[in-house]
Amino acid sequence: MREAPHAVLLLETQCKYYKTSSIIFSSSLLSWRRGRTSKGELTKSVLLKMHSKEQTSVKYYVGIDVGSASVRAALVDEFGTVVAHAEQPIQIWEPQPDHYEQSSADIWAACCTVTKKVVCGIDASWIRGVGFDATCSLVVVDKQFQPLAVNSEGQNSRNVIMWMDHRAVSQVDRINATQHRVLSYVGGVMSVEMQPPKLLWIKENLQESCWEKAGYFFDLPDFLSWKATGVTARSLCTLVCKWTYTSDGGWDDSFWNIIGLEDLVKDKYEKIGNHVLSPGESVGKGLTPEAAKDLGLPEGIAVAASLIDAHAGGLGVIGADVKGHNLPCENQPITSRVAMICGTSSCHMGVSETPIFVPGVWGPYFSAMVPGLWLNEGGQSATGKLIEHVVRGHVAFPELQSKAAARAQSIYTYLNSHLDLIKKSLPVGFLTVDLHVWPDFHGNRSPLTDLTLKGMVVGLTLSRGLDELALIYLATIQAIALGTRHILETMQAAGHHLNTLFLCGGLSKNPLFVQMHADITGKPVVLSKEVESVLVGAAILGACASGDFASIQEAMAKMGKIGRVVQPNHEHKRFYDKKYEVFLKLVEHQREYRAIMKGF
C-alpha cells in the first residue's frame, strides 16, 4: 500500500473547505493506494465527487502555458488549487547555429491536447475562464492568417522565431546605435530577443517570401488569444515589454522610421497591433465555436488578454499572503518582493510605484504585470539550459545516467545526494573553493547587456569521474545564483528596496538551486504552495476575464499560496562574498583578454 503524499494531505484540507463527506475522500484514496488512480486523477476525482455530491458552486479556470519545449495546461479552482495538470512536448528546429524556430500549428495542437485532458470529466458549467501565457516568440502569418516561413528554406510550417533566437545580432546593434529615446525603457540597450530586431531581420533577409506577404506579426501569447477568439487585440504586457509600445504614448513613429521599418507606421500598425488590452481583460466575445471545439471547452467562455510566461509566473507568486511566516516582506508593500521565474532561462521581476530606470535591466514597464505598478525585468539567457549543457556534456554523464536510473531518481536528485556524500565535514557549497564559473555561455542579458560575453570555467583538473561532474554542476548552480545577486544589487542601487525572493518554475523544484540562491543573495526564498505557479498565473488571468474577481490584485492574493520558506545560512556569508568577488573578476578578466586580442 502506498503512503499518501503531501498532495493527499492537502486534499483533506480541501474536503474540510467544501464540507465534503469523508466517505468520498476515503473511497478515492483507497483507489489511489491500490494503484488504480494516479495522484493527479486522485485530486481531480475527489474534487469532482465532492462538488457533485454537495452541489457546491466552486468555480474553475483553465491556465495554458506555452514554454520553450512543451505546452502545459491546468484546471485551477478559485482558491488557487491545481486540480488537474497535463503536458505535451512541442518541436524546436535549429536549422543553423543561433536560429531557433517553431510551428504555430504544432503549438496550438498541443494547447488543444492538454486542455482536453485537464477538463475531461468536468461539468462545463463550472469552467468560467481561460488564460494564456507563452514565451515571447514571434509568430508570422499572411493576410489570410496562414503561416509564413521565417526561414530561407521556405518551410511555412516553421513560422515562429523563438525568443532565444539570436539571428538578428547585427540588426540589434544598429538599433542600439540610434540611441533612440524608447531604448531608455529597456535598460538603455535593446536585446536581440525582442521583436524589432527580428522584424528588421525578416525585412532584410526574407523581403519577398515573408515580409511583403505578411499580414500580421504576433507575439506568441497574442497569437494564442487570437486563435481562441478571432480578435487581433494585443496584450499591453507583450507590446510594452518586447515591442517598444508605451502605455501612455502608444507607438513612437520616429523609432520605426529611423530603424527602417516605416512600412509598419504607414499601415497604422495594423500588422503589429493597434488594439491593446491590459492583461486579464476579456477579449472579444470569448471562445469562438471552432476554438471551443478544438479545446474541449464551452463556446463563449471568457478568454483573457495574455501574458508572457515569466510574467504569468510572477503573477502566480508575488502577491501571495505571507502573514505568519516571519518574512521581511510581511507588512511591507509588494515592491519589497522579487519574483524569480527559473526554467530554461530565468527572469527577475520587481515592481515599483514610480518608474525606476535600471541600467541593463528591462523596463520600467507600466502595468505590464501588476496593473498600476511599474515593472523591471532582469534576466539570465541560459539557466536550466546551461545546467543541462554542462551536465550532459561531461564525460561521466553516461555513468550518472545509469546510476540515477538504478535508483529511480532524476539525474539532479542523484547529483545532489552525491554532493552530500563527498562533502565530508564541509558545507556543500564550500566544495567549489577552487572552482569558479562565469555562466554567460549564451551572452549576458542583465545587468551587463552584452551578447558577446562567453562562459568561463576556472579550476579544472584531469579528473573525469562523477565527483568532478558533481562539482562542476554545483559551481554552475552557484554561478547562476551569483548572477542573480548581480542583478538584484544593480536593481537596488537604482532605487528598488528588495528583501524577499519568490521562486517558481522548473528549477525551483531543485533544493540545491533554491538553497544556493538563499545563501548567495542573503535573502529568504519563498516557494509557492503550487509548484505550477506559471499555470496559476495564467488561470488568474482567466479568473479576472470572467468577472469573478474585481482586480488582478484580488485574484493574486486569493489564488497565490505560500508553500515552503528557505532561509539563508548567514554563517556562510563570508565564503559567498569571496565567491562573488571572484565572479566579478571573471568578467573583468574576460574583457581584458578580449582587449589583448583585439589588435590581432
Side-chain angles (χ1 to χ4, degrees):
M1 186 177 286
R2 297 188 285 177
E3 290 299 313
H6 182 59
V8 175
L9 301 179
L10 289 177
L11 275 174
E12 290 177 317
T13 307
Q14 286 274 326
C15 290
K16 292 173 187 173
Y17 233 170
Y18 302 130
K19 300 176 183 176
T20 303
S21 163
S22 61
I23 297 172
I24 290 176
F25 178 79
S26 299
S27 63
S28 296
L29 183 57
L30 182 61
S31 175
W32 178 78
R33 280 183 165 151
R34 287 176 176 170
R36 293 199 295 263
T37 310
S38 71
K39 186 167 71 177
E41 288 168 340
L42 167 67
T43 311
K44 193 170 174 183
S45 167
V46 171
L47 292 177
L48 286 176
K49 286 178 182 176
M50 68 173 74
H51 295 156
S52 175
K53 186 174 180 67
E54 304 294 333
Q55 295 184 331
T56 57
S57 56
V58 175
K59 302 177 180 73
Y60 290 98
Y61 314 96
V62 175
I64 302 170
D65 163 55
V66 179
S68 298
S70 67
V71 175
R72 302 178 306 147
L75 184 68
V76 182
D77 71 17
E78 62 191 286
F79 307 105
T81 303
V82 174
V83 176
H85 167 261
E87 186 167 1
Q88 176 86 5
I90 50 177
Q91 195 162 354
I92 297 173
W93 287 268
E94 188 181 359
Q96 53 185 292
D98 288 333
H99 288 226
Y100 295 96
E101 297 169 5
Q102 289 185 311
S103 160
S104 64
D106 178 48
I107 291 168
W108 179 250
C111 289
C112 298
T113 298
V114 292
T115 303
K116 283 178 177 175
K117 284 181 181 177
V118 299
V119 302
C120 180
I122 281 278
D123 184 329
S125 66
W126 295 347
I127 303 172
R128 302 272 299 152
V130 183
F132 292 94
D133 73 76
T135 62
C136 48
S137 300
L138 178 69
V139 184
V140 186
V141 295
D142 65 18
K143 295 174 178 63
Q144 288 74 45
F145 295 96
Q146 296 304 305
L148 268 178
V150 294
N151 47 74
S152 55
E153 296 92 337
Q155 295 291 321
N156 283 331
S157 59
R158 287 161 33 204
N159 66 319
V160 180
I161 299 179
M162 287 188 72
W163 65 271
M164 62 184 181
D165 185 288
H166 280 198
R167 70 182 67 185
V169 171
S170 69
Q171 285 78 15
V172 81
D173 286 345
R174 279 181 275 137
I175 290 171
N176 286 328
T178 67
Q179 298 185 326
H180 194 278
R181 58 180 173 266
V182 299
L183 300 179
S184 64
Y185 287 90
V186 290
V189 181
M190 179 169 285
S191 167
V192 71
E193 295 172 9
M194 293 179 177
Q195 308 303 10
K198 293 174 185 170
L199 292 171
L200 188 55
W201 184 92
I202 290 173
K203 183 175 181 179
E204 292 177 349
N205 292 273
L206 303 172
Q207 172 120 23
E208 293 182 7
S209 63
C210 184
W211 184 257
E212 292 176 0
K213 294 179 180 178
Y216 301 91
F217 299 100
F218 287 103
D219 216 280
L220 181 53
D222 295 325
F223 169 83
L224 297 171
S225 61
W226 164 76
K227 193 74 176 168
T229 65
V231 176
T232 60
R234 307 309 208 277
S235 167
L236 184 66
C237 173
T238 58
L239 294 194
V240 165
C241 295
K242 306 300 175 187
W243 297 72
T244 74
Y245 188 89
T246 60
S247 54
D248 55 347
W251 296 114
D252 189 319
D253 294 358
S254 66
F255 170 72
W256 298 98
N257 287 328
I258 200 172
I259 69 170
L261 293 179
E262 61 284 345
D263 356 13
L264 299 175
V265 181
K266 289 174 184 172
D267 70 12
K268 298 180 181 178
Y269 298 103
E270 183 182 7
K271 289 183 178 179
I272 61 174
N274 48 27
H275 177 200
V276 185
L277 299 173
S278 292
E281 275 194 73
S282 184
V283 182
K285 296 179 180 178
L287 276 184
T288 64
E290 183 182 4
K293 183 179 178 183
D294 286 348
L295 293 164
L297 293 170
E299 177 184 340
I301 66 167
V303 175
S306 55
L307 279 174
I308 298 166
D309 55 349
H311 301 62
L315 212 62
V317 295
I318 202 171
D321 184 356
V322 299
K323 284 176 186 163
H325 290 271
N326 197 29
L327 287 163
C329 64
E330 187 174 345
N331 300 319
Q332 296 287 316
I334 196 173
T335 53
S336 64
R337 308 177 181 193
V338 177
M340 182 174 163
I341 298 84
C342 37
T344 304
S345 62
S346 290
C347 291
H348 309 73
M349 325 289 279
V351 292
S352 57
E353 292 183 359
T354 56
I356 298 175
F357 292 85
V358 185
V361 173
W362 298 343
Y365 302 135
F366 186 65
S367 288
M369 185 173 77
V370 181
L373 295 176
W374 294 83
L375 171 70
N376 280 110
E377 179 188 345
Q380 293 163 290
S381 292
T383 50
K385 187 177 179 65
L386 175 61
I387 295 168
E388 181 182 39
H389 172 79
V390 168
V391 169
R392 289 181 177 271
H394 196 277
V395 67
F397 177 69
E399 181 186 354
L400 167 64
Q401 208 170 20
S402 173
K403 290 187 172 179
R407 285 196 195 173
Q409 291 179 332
S410 77
I411 56 174
Y412 301 116
T413 300
Y414 187 91
L415 281 172
N416 292 350
S417 62
H418 191 76
L419 283 166
D420 283 332
L421 282 177
I422 63 176
K423 70 173 184 169
K424 298 178 182 174
S425 59
L426 285 172
V428 166
F430 288 22
L431 290 170
T432 59
V433 65
D434 295 320
L435 183 61
H436 309 284
V437 173
W438 178 263
D440 291 328
F441 286 47
H442 199 51
N444 183 282
R445 185 191 297 174
S446 301
L448 303 177
T449 61
D450 187 347
L451 280 177
T452 67
L453 286 176
K454 304 293 190 293
M456 301 171 73
V457 182
V458 176
L460 294 175
T461 71
L462 290 175
S463 173
R464 294 160 58 86
L466 264 182
D467 285 5
E468 193 219 20
L469 172 50
L471 290 177
I472 191 69
Y473 159 73
L474 170 62
T476 302
I477 286 177
Q478 289 175 333
I480 292 167
L482 290 162
T484 293
R485 175 171 170 175
H486 197 195
I487 291 166
L488 297 185
E489 289 190 358
T490 305
M491 291 175 72
Q492 288 172 159
H496 280 276
H497 301 284
L498 309 168
N499 57 37
T500 310
L501 267 172
F502 287 70
L503 257 64
C504 68
L507 289 175
S508 70
K509 301 172 189 176
N510 185 331
L512 180 67
F513 184 91
V514 174
Q515 189 65 59
M516 287 298 104
H517 274 76
D519 291 349
I520 286 170
T521 65
K523 302 182 191 303
V525 172
V526 178
L527 299 174
S528 176
K529 192 172 189 177
E530 288 290 351
V531 175
E532 306 297 347
S533 299
V534 176
L535 286 166
V536 172
I540 284 172
L541 296 174
C544 289
S546 73
D548 291 341
F549 292 91
S551 66
I552 288 273
Q553 287 91 330
E554 182 191 351
M556 285 166 59
K558 289 187 178 177
M559 294 177 70
K561 296 285 190 299
I562 283 189
R564 194 162 62 95
V565 174
V566 177
Q567 295 289 347
N569 190 328
H570 295 294
E571 293 177 7
H572 300 168
K573 182 179 185 301
R574 187 168 174 271
F575 176 79
Y576 289 117
D577 285 348
K578 294 290 185 183
K579 286 282 289 185
Y580 187 56
E581 191 177 339
V582 173
F583 181 79
L584 297 178
K585 283 283 185 187
L586 286 173
V587 70
E588 184 183 322
H589 290 164
Q590 184 174 154
R591 286 172 165 167
E592 288 176 8
Y593 305 154
R594 184 180 297 170
I596 292 168
M597 299 304 295
K598 192 173 183 181
F600 176 71

